Amino acid sequence: SELESLLEILMEEQGNFNELKATFEELARTESDCSSAKRGGDLGFFGRRKMQPNFEEASFALQIGELTKQVVETSSGVHLILRIG
């Protein structure tokens, strides 16, 4: 799928957080249909029980600077998550 292709692009940047974040932001701006696209995919800080369960579970399982290894599906769509804080 197209999203898996984008994930592969991001995985190539895994060793360099700044490059990974820049690539993630650019792909979010050009590929995402979420309102966060204009902010490079940044959803801001959020606590537990603020997002859909699959998204929350995937987000809080990540270390800071870590990218999801697979696509996360929710009722609002499919997501790639990069935890920055």
Side-chain angles (χ1 to χ4, degrees):
S1 79
E2 185 178 341
L3 198 56
E4 288 171 347
S5 297
L6 297 177
L7 182 57
E8 285 179 25
I9 291 168
L10 290 166
M11 292 299 229
E12 292 174 9
E13 305 291 350
Q14 278 284 67
N16 182 329
F17 177 73
N18 291 331
E19 286 295 318
L20 174 60
K21 188 171 184 277
T23 302
F24 184 94
E25 290 171 351
E26 180 61 28
L27 291 174
R29 283 188 190 94
T30 60
E31 304 296 329
S32 177
D33 61 4
C34 178
S35 62
S36 69
K38 61 184 175 283
R39 296 183 304 278
D42 191 344
L43 296 173
F45 289 96
F46 57 87
R48 294 197 181 272
R49 296 182 300 282
K50 298 293 182 193
M51 300 291 179
Q52 293 182 36
N54 287 355
F55 191 93
E56 177 185 319
E57 184 178 318
S59 297
F60 285 98
L62 296 171
Q63 299 296 314
I64 293 172
E66 188 178 7
L67 176 73
T68 49
K69 307 277 188 289
Q70 57 198 23
V71 174
V72 177
E73 293 188 42
T74 69
S75 62
S76 60
V78 291
H79 315 274
L80 299 176
I81 305 168
L82 173 62
R83 185 171 180 182
I84 60 170

